[in-house]
Amino acid sequence: MDFTIKSGNPEKQRTACVVVGIFESHRLSAAAEAIDTASKRYLSNILKRGDIDGKIGQSLLLHNVPGTSSARVLLVGCGKGKDLNTSHYREIVTNSINKLKLTSATEAVSYLAELNVKVNSKESKDEYWKIRQLVEISQSTLYQFNQFKTKNKKAKNKLRKLVLTVPDRKHVTAGERAIRDGIAIGKGVSLARDLANLPPNICTPSYLADQAKKIGKAQKSVKVTVLDEAAMEKLGMGSLLSVSQGSRQPAKLISMEYKGGKKDARPFVLVGKGVTFDTGGISIKPSAAMDEMKYDMCGAASVFGTVSAVAEMGLPINVVGVVPTVENMPDGEATRPGDIYTSMSGQTIEVLNTDAEGRLILCDALTYSEKFNPATIIDIATLTGACVIALGKHASGLLSNNDSLAKDILDAGETAGDRSWQLPLWDEYQHQIDSPFADMANVGGREAGTITAACFLSRFTKKFKWAHLDIAGTAWLTGKNKGATGRPVPMLVQYLMDRCE
Ligand code: BES
Ligand code: MN
Ligand code: ZN
């Protein structure tokens, strides 16, 4: 997709489709008003017929509107107009792209960034934010994953070019910056979705290691290293290695070091769970929907997406992506419930449930990450079914040993439209993972499963400002829109952008 910025009158645009907003009770946005005047009240007359009343989600496609230079005008419902919030705006933009997809227009000029989007009663979103959202949402909405279909591929999107308008020439520079950033973030999101949507017979730990090396080749600023099982053995990663014991696929530990900041500036470290398939191991999962456990590497995918976006943007900071990646399978060598393993930290773990494997690979990756001397460390993982029950698909679970880091993540999520919600990490919960035989157990019972998983990780991150994101509910969708979402790439990139000032 090609994006450009301009400012100019909607009725004068020579294009396949002009996109303008209308509000409830037949009120027109400024762009719709201009077309209405140029067309001698053509829009007002149509609105009076009542085919569309302006609610969010509605739209009406008009052809050959008199007095205009474009083939089509797409009216998009924008609700009441006042008190339009960021979620409304995202919904309106998504709807406009979905409707454009149904036409054969190859190009469109969108006036939706002229909408007044409220942050609160006093503040509104600026042109940069509105344009960047348009760019990110367009790319996301046009995303397809067709590579394994030999027939009945979804029709290719015809839309090739989107012209985004700003109210005044003085906004063009901010608009162009928004396009550049939006494209980089959109690419990162698509990369994360592609990796996650791949079938688990292709996307193995070795495949992910190769993809990391590819990023290292494409981006000079990214140095990639891959540790094999022998190297991990030497480092004492008994916990991580226990998980892949039952698989034919060897485990890998990938590091992607992006250097955009001062040489000695402490890096922001991202650690992503990369279980390329989670059968549960000997504590095997039920078969229903087990295919979805190919998505158990979405944390890893989000780290890939974020590192490549940050490198493409050339952010003036240092970032390290660490990806422990394994396949969790049951066989004669697989971990048994009751096994005890020693982690790289020296702490011992009694594995009571082999399906609680995410924390077992993350703990060693977190200990390993100490060597980067992180400014902050954030892990991202499809860690618990309990998180899906608690928060559903709208918010990722957030737990942290540092409230100001948690706030930065919450704020970044708010800005990026990729939100998380904080859960408590109180000491009271720690007792649930006591073990009679080892330093800790890998499960803490049915109660507060998301929190006890984070309690486990917290024992490996005491030295640093650390946050854990449980993305079990947000990383992929089921049902008719089944597929990876690329979350939380937008939030992570925003968090890192916010650290650049
Ligand atoms: N990958 C799963 C978590 C998961 C399950 C994410 C379903 C999304 C949908 C994780 O490895 C797991 O199996 N967790 C267990 C932990 C339990 C044994 C303490 C779970 O949530 O059931
Ligand atoms: Mn599991
Ligand atoms: Zn898992």
Side-chain angles (χ1 to χ4, degrees):
M1 264 292 269
D2 201 23
F3 297 94
T4 50
I5 277 286
K6 81 175 179 197
S7 80
N9 303 336
E11 71 280 10
K12 299 216 174 99
Q13 304 297 328
R14 268 180 214 293
T15 181
C17 190
V18 172
V19 181
V20 299
I22 57 159
F23 302 111
E24 281 173 35
S25 45
H26 306 171
R27 282 184 312 109
L28 303 175
S29 64
E33 191 71 59
I35 290 180
D36 198 42
T37 308
S39 64
K40 306 214 167 60
R41 320 287 300 156
Y42 187 81
L43 298 191
S44 309
N45 285 325
I46 283 181
L47 291 179
K48 272 197 207 122
R49 290 189 194 149
D51 292 353
I52 174 172
D53 61 14
K55 286 204 172 61
I56 294 176
Q58 293 184 327
S59 69
L60 189 66
L61 183 67
L62 305 173
H63 292 264
N64 305 329
V65 175
T68 67
S69 311
S70 67
R72 305 171 186 78
V73 171
L74 180 64
L75 304 179
V76 181
C78 295
K80 295 203 171 59
K82 60 174 191 292
D83 299 332
L84 187 80
N85 67 25
T86 54
S87 321
H88 295 142
Y89 180 71
R90 294 171 53 81
E91 205 180 332
I92 291 163
V93 171
T94 307
N95 182 36
S96 76
I97 305 295
N98 275 324
K99 298 295 157 63
L100 281 174
K101 258 166 59 170
L102 299 175
T103 73
S104 60
T106 54
E107 187 197 291
V109 182
S110 175
Y111 280 83
L112 292 178
E114 72 174 3
L115 294 170
N116 182 21
V117 182
K118 289 269 162 118
V119 188
N120 51 44
S121 57
K122 290 191 203 93
E123 264 177 284
S124 295
K125 286 291 188 187
D126 60 10
E127 306 305 317
Y128 171 82
W129 184 88
K130 289 187 284 184
I131 296 288
R132 202 181 95 193
Q133 286 289 314
L134 261 162
V135 173
E136 289 183 41
I137 293 169
S138 305
Q139 293 174 103
S140 238
T141 310
L142 295 168
Y143 173 86
Q144 295 187 326
F145 187 77
N146 272 342
Q147 59 187 100
F148 291 89
K149 288 204 185 270
T150 61
K151 38 186 179 291
N152 303 330
K153 286 196 189 230
K154 274 190 203 138
K156 275 243 163 64
N157 294 312
K158 298 207 180 65
L159 195 62
R160 286 274 154 280
K161 182 172 178 190
L162 198 55
V163 179
L164 307 172
T165 59
V166 285
D168 194 293
R169 292 234 35 100
K170 70 170 192 251
H171 298 125
V172 168
T173 327
E176 282 167 348
R177 195 161 47 83
I179 288 182
R180 270 201 314 279
D181 293 349
I183 289 176
I185 296 165
K187 274 200 204 163
V189 169
S190 295
L191 171 63
R193 293 173 80 175
D194 279 346
L195 289 172
N197 284 329
L198 283 171
N201 56 326
I202 292 187
C203 185
T204 60
S206 305
Y207 180 90
L208 285 180
D210 290 344
Q211 293 308 300
K213 286 178 191 153
K214 230 166 105 181
I215 294 176
K217 282 224 175 75
Q219 301 283 358
K220 280 214 160 59
S221 53
V222 180
K223 189 181 109 198
V224 174
T225 33
V226 177
L227 300 190
D228 61 10
E229 291 189 341
M232 287 189 265
E233 188 88 55
K234 267 201 193 126
L235 290 169
M237 298 189 173
S239 181
L240 187 159
L241 289 169
S242 77
V243 178
S244 66
Q245 260 171 224
S247 167
R248 308 281 173 92
Q249 299 293 336
K252 305 280 174 192
L253 182 66
I254 304 165
S255 309
M256 296 173 277
E257 294 171 67
Y258 165 73
K259 282 231 151 52
K262 293 204 181 82
K263 213 166 154 252
D264 52 355
R266 295 170 76 183
F268 298 93
V269 176
L270 307 174
V271 179
K273 173 180 174 184
V275 176
T276 60
F277 196 74
D278 181 14
T279 63
I282 296 300
S283 315
I284 200 160
K285 288 182 180 293
S287 5
M290 205 206 274
D291 67 285
E292 287 178 27
M293 284 299 114
K294 73 172 183 179
Y295 290 122
D296 214 13
M297 38 62 72
C298 282
S302 76
V303 172
F304 277 76
T306 303
V307 169
S308 57
V310 163
E312 173 139 347
M313 293 163 85
L315 293 188
I317 46 170
N318 297 331
V319 178
V320 183
V322 176
V323 170
T325 174
V326 300
E327 188 185 51
N328 186 20
M329 288 291 219
D331 86 348
E333 290 189 272
T335 308
R336 293 150 288 254
D339 281 2
I340 295 179
Y341 296 97
T342 304
S343 66
M344 183 179 176
S345 72
Q347 300 177 91
T348 57
I349 302 159
E350 185 186 15
V351 177
L352 291 176
N353 188 322
T354 66
D355 197 11
E357 83 298 338
R359 62 200 78 179
L360 296 176
I361 67 169
L362 288 168
C363 70
D364 278 344
L366 288 165
T367 303
Y368 177 77
S369 299
E370 287 180 6
K371 76 175 208 155
F372 298 112
N373 189 24
T376 65
I377 179 159
I378 303 175
D379 78 75
I380 308 103
T382 48
L383 207 61
T384 63
C387 194
V388 191
I389 303 303
L391 298 174
K393 64 183 166 190
H394 301 295
S396 303
L398 167 65
L399 299 104
S400 178
N401 64 10
N402 183 288
D403 275 335
S404 103
L405 170 59
K407 181 166 188 314
D408 290 342
I409 291 173
L410 292 168
D411 290 348
E414 206 62 62
T415 304
D418 181 8
R419 291 185 289 187
S420 45
W421 192 258
Q422 192 175 4
L423 300 174
L425 190 61
W426 298 326
D427 281 343
E428 283 84 341
Y429 292 99
Q430 291 282 352
H431 302 293
Q432 282 179 243
I433 55 172
D434 286 347
S435 158
F437 307 117
D439 295 339
M440 68 195 87
N442 78 329
V443 289
R446 271 171 46 78
E447 292 172 13
T450 305
I451 298 174
T452 54
C455 283
F456 181 96
L457 298 175
S458 74
R459 297 178 181 208
F460 300 84
T461 52
K462 292 225 165 82
K463 297 183 188 144
F464 297 102
K465 292 181 189 164
W466 157 78
H468 161 63
L469 285 163
D470 195 328
I471 58 167
T474 53
W476 75 92
L477 300 173
T478 55
K480 84 173 190 327
N481 288 323
K482 186 169 180 173
T485 60
R487 292 179 67 182
V489 172
M491 184 283 287
L492 290 171
V493 177
Q494 185 63 49
Y495 168 79
L496 294 169
M497 289 176 77
D498 292 345
R499 309 274 81 69
C500 291
E501 276 91 60

